[in-house]
Amino acid sequence: MSADLTRNQALVMKTLSGAEAPLSAYTILDRLRGDGLRAPLQIYRALDKLTEMGLVHRLESLNAFVACAHPNCHEQELIAFAICEACGKVEEFSDEIVKDRLDGWARSHRFKPAKTTIEIRGNCGSCVAKA
């Protein structure tokens, strides 16, 4: 963990790093009340900064956050997440073939993407094997 983190950022990062599944800002707040965090704004500010630093990702479809699984992923132009709807596990990955296809589409449509995030929802291999 970076030495540049504030106390609140470090607490939020530790909470997300130890989580089994994505957490909402209010779930993070509930887990950190014992550490003196009381206001949602404290959590949102920490999450905004951690996201900006590339340490945390926001999963749009869940309105929840996960710790970054790949330290250099923020250098990638495309980040994808496989989200298990049964157990909540999230796997982060990047795929060059998908990135190339999306880049080609953007070029042909004269579209300049600022960020590309893909979320795939379904069941992970472990949950499929249990069924």
Side-chain angles (χ1 to χ4, degrees), residues 38 42 46 123 128:
R38 300 276 187 261
Q42 292 174 294
N123 291 320
V128 168

Side-chain angles (χ1 to χ4, degrees), residues 50-57 68-79 92 94 114-115:
L50 292 167
T51 301
E52 181 183 305
M53 296 168 76
L55 298 173
V56 166
H57 298 292
C68 179
H70 303 286
N72 297 322
C73 77
H74 58 277
E75 296 168 6
Q76 302 293 321
E77 294 175 26
L78 177 135
I79 301 170
E92 176 182 335
S94 185
K115 172 183 140 182

Side-chain angles (χ1 to χ4, degrees), residues 9-25:
Q9 291 165 2
L11 288 168
V12 169
M13 189 68 211
K14 182 179 177 186
T15 300
L16 284 172
S17 295
E20 296 281 324
L23 301 176
S24 71

Side-chain angles (χ1 to χ4, degrees), residues 85-105:
E85 294 181 324
C87 71
K89 177 183 169 189
V90 175
E91 190 164 340
E92 176 182 335
F93 65 97
S94 185
D95 186 292
E96 281 301 312
I97 294 170
V98 173
K99 179 190 172 308
D100 290 346
R101 294 286 305 267
L102 292 173
D103 286 347
W105 181 90

Side-chain angles (χ1 to χ4, degrees), residues 26-62:
Y26 281 92
T27 300
I28 296 168
L29 177 61
D30 288 343
R31 292 185 182 187
L32 293 176
R33 286 189 193 282
D35 291 296
L37 276 75
R38 300 276 187 261
L41 189 55
Q42 292 174 294
I43 302 300
Y44 282 112
R45 282 184 181 151
L47 287 167
D48 285 347
K49 188 63 175 177
L50 292 167
T51 301
E52 181 183 305
M53 296 168 76
L55 298 173
V56 166
H57 298 292
R58 181 173 184 268
L59 299 175
E60 304 287 335
S61 66
L62 300 176

